[in-house]
């Protein structure tokens, strides 16, 4: 360990933590709007389907940015690695959800949406947890508290 590494405060860099938190919040909030728009469409406001599709496209972009934020939080940000794999998984589920929606496979689109929202809320809770900026394992040591 170099002197520069020893002088660093433990935990994730502040900019990395907040960029991941803000993106996780934005993705979760947009995902929360989606069933509302779908419900409005089902009750007769057909214009809501276009907005539902536009937000789905925006969700894909934000989920990709969330992957980038989680990578930056991990490597230069000194944070844990688990948000990277979780963010990639969420991105894949969002892509699946969009594909099911455009294919009008509603019987799968709705339960995958529920699954997606659960994953997003779990990630949101995890990245806002005070323990989220601690590395689970480091080289040579099992617990880096």
């Amino acid at each position: 360990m170099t002197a520069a590494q020893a002088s660093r405060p433990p935990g994730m860099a502040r900019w990395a933590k907040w960029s991941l938190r803000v993106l996780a919040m934005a993705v979760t909030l947009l995902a929360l709007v989606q069933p509302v728009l779908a419900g409005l469409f089902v009750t007769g406001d057909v214009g809501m389907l276009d907005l539902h599709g536009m937000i789905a496209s925006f969700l894909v972009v934000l989920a990709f940015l969330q992957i980038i934020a989680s990578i930056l939080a991990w490597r230069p940000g000194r944070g844990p690695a688990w948000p990277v794999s979780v963010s990639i998984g969420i991105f894949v589920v969002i892509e699946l959800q969009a594909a099911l929606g455009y294919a009008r496979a509603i019987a799968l689109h709705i339960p995958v949406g529920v699954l997606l929202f659960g994953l997003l809320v779990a990630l949101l809770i995890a990245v806002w947890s005070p323990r989220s900026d601690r590395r689970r394992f480091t080289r040579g040591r099992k617990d880096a508290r």
Side-chain angles (χ1 to χ4, degrees), residues 3-69:
Q5 289 172 330
S7 67
R8 279 190 209 155
M12 192 184 322
R14 188 177 178 101
W15 62 267
K17 181 189 316 185
W18 281 99
S19 63
L20 184 56
R21 284 177 172 178
V22 167
L23 280 165
M25 178 74 77
V27 171
T28 304
L29 287 176
L30 280 181
L32 180 62
V33 170
Q34 288 294 73
V36 173
L37 296 174
L40 289 171
F41 166 71
V42 170
T43 59
D45 193 347
V46 293
M48 292 296 112
L49 187 60
D50 290 335
L51 186 57
H52 185 76
M54 287 185 341
I55 289 179
S57 298
F58 194 56
L59 268 169
V60 170
V61 172
L62 282 181
F64 184 75
L65 292 175
Q66 182 176 294
I67 292 170
I68 294 170

Side-chain angles (χ1 to χ4, degrees), residues 57-125:
S57 298
F58 194 56
L59 268 169
V60 170
V61 172
L62 282 181
F64 184 75
L65 292 175
Q66 182 176 294
I67 292 170
I68 294 170
S70 65
I71 291 170
L72 292 173
W74 169 46
R75 271 310 186 198
R78 300 181 318 271
W82 65 263
V84 177
S85 56
V86 172
S87 294
I88 290 170
I90 285 172
F91 180 79
V92 169
V93 174
I94 287 174
E95 286 286 356
L96 171 66
Q97 179 69 342
L100 290 170
Y102 287 121
R104 305 287 191 253
I106 303 303
L108 292 175
H109 185 69
I110 293 171
V112 171
V114 173
L115 168 70
L116 176 61
F117 190 70
L119 292 172
L120 290 171
V121 169
L123 176 65
L124 188 63
I125 290 168

